[in-house]
């Protein structure tokens, strides 16, 4: 039992004290003396609840820590040299690399022939930094049973060169098909990865996180792994957003069985479109980078079906009618739905699906990077929540400028506009897509980088609330985290100065 006395709650500005017992806050207020309690007098210091990451990928984060990271590569030669060095050092199994980004390499993808020059016999797979595309060598394609006769899957594309030959560039569901050929981690490896990810997040004062793609490998094993990791002392409280198909698909376990197997389920995850970096987000208009990216990207994946007389680009993962059916099924089963939607066209379709349920306020839209004034007005009316990842602006500005041009890029992630409209909003990272330290995301939201409209900045106090209280509330963790009140976990961050002042954290 510990009494934390005489501090200022940074979210409310209130001078107060809290009593902690077995890790939980049990009392708050003017508590000058509590029998048998250890007293920690904070002498007026400022206290925040620990951060909550409302959208990330916990298990993949831990697994990625062992893969080749290409984030520092600035051209094709850098990538190929890094792959060759890893191939020499670790010659067995798949050679897996992450944070590949063709927009850094004059917008032109590497292709399978270049990877085959490193090894045509060992599978090599480079995952795009967006997580929505990859590049494979011939051995990786063979492992996935993909050859020249393979047709594009629904919601995906196997890119081909000008002669019609597979070039190894994989978009959306084509990327997922080849990625699925990588041997799955074992249960023990999953547990170790979750614990490793938890320790990393805890070092950044993250106390809770929502995994946004549970079921990527093996749903039953993943559910077990999260339970075992918690029993082994994972320092981060987890909530799981489970892929729709693993619950409601032909081989899905069903809603009742999912609930019976895990008490950590926060909701159901659906993908509506792709990403800006891979030019697969479903947007109104065109990608400005498409004609400048060379022959391997000029042959775009099948475009999203357009409303009559409206030009659209990118990829819809599901037809609008199918998306509505999927949302309705999860909604009727009592789940919160969290739908990935980056493009403005895709977001209109997601709002249609949510509105059709009759209770759009129950559900979340993940990313919503491109939003018009009219869409913001509609979101406010619907009451659907949004999660933003401010660190994207810091890491991927070069990609957005190439793909969208300066005008649309400037208005990405309109934090100020959503807050002013009263739309439920939370911050998160999407790690391992980005590094994931909340301080980086907060700094970016308060001081949007050059090329992004500063009128969409938020205040430091707002950013801290969006990464604590609101992230917990929207991420099904509001019962245990996000504020310093009785019934919540006593996960505190202590500061000598007011952290709501600009630049105090940085």
């Amino acid at each position: 039992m510990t009494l934390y006395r005489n501090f200022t709650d940074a979210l409310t500005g209130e001078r107060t004290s809290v009593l902690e017992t077995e890790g939980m806050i049990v009392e708050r207020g003017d508590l000058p003396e509590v029998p048998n309690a250890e007293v920690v007098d904070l002498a007026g210091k400022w206290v925040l609840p620990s951060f909550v990451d409302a959208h990330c990928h916990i298990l993949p984060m831990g697994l990625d820590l062992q893969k080749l990271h290409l984030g520092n590569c600035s051209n094709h030669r850098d990538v190929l040299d890094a792959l060759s060095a890893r191939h020499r050092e670790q010659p067995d199994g798949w050679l897996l690399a992450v944070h590949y980004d063709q927009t850094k390499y004059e917008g032109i993808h590497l292709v399978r022939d270049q990877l085959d020059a490193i090894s045509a016999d060992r599978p090599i797979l480079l995952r795009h930094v967006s997580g929505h595309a990859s590049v494979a060598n011939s051995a990786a394609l063979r492992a996935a049973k993909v050859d020249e006769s393979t047709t594009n899957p629904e919601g995906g594309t196997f890119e081909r060169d000008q002669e019609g030959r597979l070039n190894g560039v994989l978009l959306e569901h084509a990327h997922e098909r080849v990625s699925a050929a990588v041997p799955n981690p074992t249960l023990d490896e999953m547990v170790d990865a979750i614990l490793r990810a938890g320790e990393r997040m805890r070092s950044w004062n993250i106390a809770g996180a929502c995994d946004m793609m549970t079921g990527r490998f093996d749903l039953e094993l993943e559910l077990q792994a999260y339970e075992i990791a918690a029993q082994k002392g994972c320092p981060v409280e987890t909530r799981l957003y489970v892929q729709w198909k693993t619950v409601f698909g032909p081989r899905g376990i069903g809603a009742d069985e999912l609930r019976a197997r895990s008490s950590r389920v926060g909701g159901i995850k659906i993908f509506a479109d792709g990403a800006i970096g891979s030019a697969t987000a479903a947007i109104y208009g065109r990608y400005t980078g498409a004609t400048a990216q060379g022959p391997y990207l000029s042959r775009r994946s099948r475009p999203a079906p357009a409303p009559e007389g409206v030009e659209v680009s990118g990829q819809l993962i599901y037809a609008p009618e199918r998306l509505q059916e999927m949302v309705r099924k999860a909604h009727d089963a009592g789940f919160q739905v969290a739908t990935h939607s980056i493009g403005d066209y895709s977001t209109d379709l997601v709002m249609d699906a949510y509105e059709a349920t009759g209770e759009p306020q129950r559900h979340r839209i993940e990313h919503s990077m491109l939003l018009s004034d009219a869409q913001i007005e509609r979101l406010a009316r619907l009451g659907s929540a949004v999660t933003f990842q401010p660190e994207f602006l810091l890491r991927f500005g070069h990609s957005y400028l190439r793909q969208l041009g300066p005008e649309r890029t400037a208005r990405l992630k309109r934090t100020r506009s959503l807050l002013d409209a009263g739309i439920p909003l939370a911050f998160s990272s999407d790690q391992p897509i980005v590094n994931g330290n909340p301080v980086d995301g907060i700094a970016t939201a308060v001081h949007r980088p050059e090329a992004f409209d500063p009128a969409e900045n938020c205040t430091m106090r707002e950013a801290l609330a969006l990464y604590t209280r609101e992230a917990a509330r929207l991420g099904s963790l509001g019962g245990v985290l996000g504020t310093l009140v009785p019934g919540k976990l006593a996960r505190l961050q202590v500061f000598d100065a007011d952290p709501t002042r600009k630049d105090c954290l940085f």
Side-chain angles (χ1 to χ4, degrees):
M1 183 184 301
T2 304
L3 174 61
Y4 296 95
R5 191 167 64 186
N6 190 26
F7 66 84
T8 300
D9 185 326
L11 293 183
T12 68
E14 178 189 6
R15 181 68 67 92
T16 190
S17 303
V18 296
L19 178 65
E20 172 267 326
T21 300
E22 297 182 348
M24 302 293 296
I25 297 174
V26 295
E27 289 187 60
R28 173 179 170 131
D30 184 11
L31 305 171
E33 293 185 11
V34 177
N36 303 317
E38 176 187 357
V39 177
V40 177
D41 191 336
L42 293 174
K45 292 183 179 180
W46 298 76
V47 176
L48 269 176
S50 289
F51 298 120
V52 173
D53 195 331
H55 179 127
C56 63
H57 302 276
I58 302 166
L59 172 57
M61 184 196 321
L63 295 171
D64 276 8
L65 293 175
Q66 297 180 328
K67 296 173 184 175
L68 176 62
H69 196 291
L70 301 175
N72 292 326
C73 296
S74 58
N75 53 56
H76 285 179
R77 187 71 264 159
D78 288 348
V79 175
L80 296 172
D81 287 348
L83 291 168
S84 296
R86 177 59 66 95
H87 179 53
R88 292 192 300 270
E89 296 162 3
Q90 300 179 20
D92 299 323
W94 284 64
L95 200 172
L96 302 173
V98 296
H99 282 250
Y100 163 82
D101 184 359
Q102 94 288 352
T103 66
K104 292 182 177 180
Y105 327 136
E106 299 181 357
I108 299 174
H109 273 298
L110 286 167
V111 293
R112 70 168 176 168
D113 290 343
Q114 293 167 290
L115 303 186
D116 285 350
I118 296 171
S119 176
D121 301 317
R122 178 190 189 185
I124 300 175
L125 188 65
L126 317 184
R127 192 180 72 212
H128 194 270
V129 67
S130 68
H132 288 257
S134 53
V135 182
N137 73 340
S138 295
L141 295 176
R142 287 196 302 271
K145 296 182 171 54
V146 173
D147 59 28
E148 298 297 341
S149 66
T150 302
T151 58
N152 289 334
E154 180 182 359
T157 303
F158 295 103
E159 285 279 345
R160 297 175 183 271
D161 62 22
Q162 292 175 322
E163 285 71 45
R165 176 175 172 268
L166 291 172
N167 65 14
V169 177
L170 315 168
L171 304 178
E172 300 301 336
H173 279 181
H175 149 71
E176 292 181 11
R177 174 168 172 178
V178 176
S179 297
V182 179
N184 282 347
T186 65
L187 177 60
D188 287 344
E189 289 170 339
M190 288 183 183
V191 172
D192 288 344
I194 293 166
L195 291 171
R196 190 161 52 242
E199 291 296 335
R200 182 176 183 180
M201 287 191 286
R202 195 69 192 110
S203 73
W204 294 329
N205 288 315
I206 298 172
C210 299
D211 184 86
M212 272 290 154
M213 200 177 173
T214 307
R216 163 66 181 84
F217 303 105
D218 181 304
L219 179 58
E220 183 173 354
L221 286 184
E222 289 176 50
L223 295 176
Q224 291 181 43
Y226 279 101
E227 294 299 327
I228 295 170
Q231 294 166 12
K232 288 190 171 186
C234 181
V236 173
E237 293 290 315
T238 57
R239 292 294 181 269
L240 312 178
Y241 284 73
V242 181
Q243 288 194 88
W244 189 95
K245 68 178 180 181
T246 66
V247 183
F248 300 107
R251 299 181 182 179
I253 66 174
D256 292 341
E257 187 64 22
L258 176 62
R259 290 189 175 98
R261 292 188 187 187
S262 177
S263 62
R264 300 179 181 278
V265 175
I268 298 297
K269 176 68 179 296
I270 297 174
F271 285 90
D273 71 343
I276 293 171
S278 55
T280 54
I283 65 171
Y284 292 110
R286 296 185 179 183
Y287 283 99
T288 57
T291 58
Q293 291 172 332
Y296 305 117
L297 280 184
S298 62
R299 301 171 71 88
R300 280 284 107 216
S301 56
R302 186 175 66 250
E308 185 175 354
V310 178
E311 181 181 42
V312 297
S313 302
Q315 184 113 31
L316 292 178
I317 305 303
Y318 304 103
E321 298 78 11
R322 177 59 176 158
L323 177 65
Q324 290 204 19
E325 292 173 1
M326 294 169 69
V327 168
R328 168 64 73 177
K329 192 158 192 175
H331 172 90
D332 288 348
F335 290 106
Q336 182 190 54
V337 179
T339 304
H340 166 113
S341 179
I342 286 181
D344 45 3
Y345 175 41
S346 172
T347 295
D348 271 340
L349 300 177
V350 174
M351 286 193 285
D352 290 344
Y354 286 178
E355 187 165 22
T357 68
E359 295 181 286
Q361 71 277 7
R362 280 177 44 188
H363 306 303
R364 293 171 42 168
I365 306 180
E366 310 303 304
H367 310 300
S368 289
M369 293 189 66
L370 277 164
L371 287 171
S372 68
D373 290 346
Q375 288 178 313
I376 290 173
E377 291 176 7
R378 185 183 181 193
L379 272 172
R381 176 172 60 82
L382 295 178
S384 300
V386 174
T387 65
F388 276 171
Q389 300 70 38
E391 193 178 346
F392 280 19
L393 305 186
L394 180 65
R395 309 299 178 192
F396 306 138
H398 64 283
S399 175
Y400 301 150
L401 283 167
R402 174 179 288 276
Q403 301 288 47
L404 297 176
E407 183 176 348
R408 286 181 293 179
T409 294
R411 290 168 64 80
L412 292 174
K413 292 196 180 291
R414 299 179 61 186
T415 299
R416 176 80 271 142
S417 294
L418 264 66
L419 289 173
D420 289 348
I423 294 167
L425 178 65
F427 282 166
S428 59
S429 72
D430 208 8
Q431 55 183 315
I433 300 300
V434 295
N435 187 47
N437 189 334
V439 170
D440 293 334
I442 290 167
T444 306
V446 175
H447 305 286
R448 284 162 64 93
E450 186 178 355
F452 298 97
D453 184 0
E456 294 294 346
N457 287 345
C458 65
T459 69
M460 181 68 77
R461 185 182 296 277
E462 289 168 332
L464 292 172
L466 293 174
Y467 233 127
T468 54
R469 182 186 66 225
E470 297 307 304
R473 185 173 68 85
L474 299 186
S476 303
L477 283 158
V480 293
L481 291 168
T483 55
L484 305 173
V485 299
K488 304 294 181 76
L489 291 169
R491 304 286 181 85
L492 315 179
Q493 302 184 67
V494 180
F495 301 89
D496 291 332
D498 181 358
T500 66
R501 294 198 342 254
K502 281 191 174 184
D503 302 327
C504 179
L505 291 181
F506 318 126

